[in-house]
Amino acid sequence: MDYSVDSTNTASGMVEAPGARLHVERTGDGPPLLLISGGGGDAGMYADVIPLLARSFTVIAYDRRGNSRSPFTDPGASITVARQADDAVAVLDHYGLERAFVFGNSAGAIIALEMVIGHPDRLLGAVVHEPPLVQLLAPDSPERREIEHIGSLARDGHLMRAYAAFGAMTLPDPPRVFLSPSGQATIAAATHLMLAADGLVRKITRRTPDVMTRQLRNAELTLRRELPAFCFDYQPDLTALAATTAPWCPATGRDSVGKPYHAPAHLLSGRLGVPCQEFPGGHVPFMQHPDEFTTTLTKILEGFQP
């Protein structure tokens, strides 16, 4: 099979999908590796590891539909997990790739899992890193209650408080200010001021927003639409997953024990008899430990190859 993509044509572009235009980026040479981001849906989350991975792989990343540089063309467009798995396939089609390795983190891990179920023929292998599938856990589990609390804050009009709680959830040892209602309210107020100031500055300077600003502006989509769609509406077909022909594995970070995305990965591992792999750090090892992350991911992907 021909894995090649011309590495001299490293560039970004747009992919048309039903109801959205997807910002895509490609660099490197070698077997194709598609990176799918979690909450915030932004390719920039992988900025630290893309140059490292591009030494061995053709690395493709994209902003998920409605996030950052991937605008909806239809405000009522679907954001279901199945639709977003189809988006990932559309990105592969855009580059003429029959199959690719896939790494998905958090919500992106759920999309990668749906690719394993619904598009196994498009995968060289998939790493499902810390999917927050709390719907698989008991209704009274602390992990599920934590996700429900964040969702209720967002629904009740406390979007940036919810985002502060969401941020705390992704950190192995979050600062105390992120954990209390008063601290979250303070962070929310500061965030509103920062976004307002940034908008004014960008009108004057015409500069593009950085990754963090883009993700903050994605908060409403992340918490009011994606969180319920991914964590509660979606039910993975475990029978189909057990029968898939695609090589795949769940994975967690060594510092993520007790987090809402740790137990579901190990539950999948136990039910399906697929070993759960361990990455350094917590929920975003590609940002916390880029070198170790690259080494670990490369080893796992090499293990998928016959």
Side-chain angles (χ1 to χ4, degrees):
M1 182 178 296
D2 181 10
Y3 297 140
S4 63
V5 173
D6 183 1
S7 62
T8 64
N9 191 29
T10 299
S12 62
M14 301 297 288
V15 173
E16 297 293 336
R21 298 182 70 235
L22 308 176
H23 170 89
V24 294
E25 302 173 1
R26 184 199 65 201
T27 190
D29 195 17
L33 168 60
L34 180 66
L35 304 176
I36 309 178
S37 57
D42 195 312
M45 295 178 70
Y46 293 110
D48 291 341
V49 296
I50 285 175
L52 304 177
L53 290 166
R55 298 169 184 168
S56 303
F57 301 94
T58 298
V59 184
I60 302 166
Y62 66 104
D63 295 357
R64 292 194 291 100
R65 58 174 45 230
N67 288 284
S68 297
R69 299 158 292 184
S70 290
F72 287 123
T73 54
D74 173 5
S78 170
I79 61 160
T80 64
V81 173
R83 174 64 263 166
Q84 300 214 38
D86 289 343
D87 285 350
V89 170
V91 172
L92 299 184
D93 288 343
H94 175 76
Y95 289 112
L97 297 169
E98 181 182 345
R99 293 197 295 165
F101 292 114
V102 173
F103 173 87
N105 166 255
S106 196
I110 297 176
I111 295 168
L113 190 71
E114 182 62 16
M115 292 183 73
V116 173
I117 294 168
H119 303 282
D121 58 319
R122 305 305 299 268
L123 298 174
L124 295 169
V127 179
V128 177
H129 182 260
E130 301 199 335
L133 291 166
V134 294
Q135 63 272 48
L136 300 179
L137 306 179
D140 61 347
S141 67
E143 296 93 343
R144 182 164 181 155
R145 289 201 304 268
E146 184 173 1
I147 293 286
E148 289 173 339
H149 172 66
I150 293 170
S152 67
L153 281 175
R155 286 194 309 273
D156 293 344
H158 306 293
L159 182 63
M160 285 306 168
R161 264 192 64 194
Y163 200 83
F166 178 78
M169 180 187 69
T170 67
L171 299 173
D173 187 21
R176 186 173 301 177
V177 67
F178 279 84
L179 301 176
S180 69
S182 61
Q184 291 167 1
T186 299
I187 293 169
T191 301
H192 283 298
L193 289 173
M194 185 201 77
L195 289 175
D198 177 78
L200 180 61
V201 169
R202 285 198 295 116
K203 283 183 180 179
I204 297 170
T205 65
R206 304 292 183 181
R207 68 174 174 79
T208 58
D210 60 19
V211 176
M212 178 55 69
T213 303
R214 292 198 305 257
Q215 291 187 338
L216 287 169
R217 295 192 183 280
N218 295 336
E220 182 168 3
L221 175 61
T222 299
L223 298 179
R224 289 183 176 154
R225 294 189 63 193
E226 289 189 347
L227 186 147
F230 282 69
C231 295
F232 298 107
D233 296 344
Y234 175 69
Q235 296 294 331
D237 186 337
L238 299 184
T239 300
L241 190 57
T244 188
T245 57
W248 75 284
C249 68
T252 56
R254 69 169 70 106
D255 298 330
S256 292
V257 177
K259 298 290 187 176
Y261 31 78
H262 186 272
H266 287 271
L267 183 149
L268 288 175
S269 174
R271 285 191 184 180
L272 298 167
V274 180
C276 192
Q277 302 296 324
E278 184 178 86
F279 277 81
H283 195 48
V284 287
F286 38 88
M287 300 173 75
Q288 300 164 334
H289 308 284
D291 291 305
E292 287 183 77
F293 170 85
T294 299
T295 299
T296 302
L297 180 59
T298 300
K299 183 177 180 181
I300 293 171
L301 299 183
E302 287 174 348
F304 287 145
Q305 299 185 75

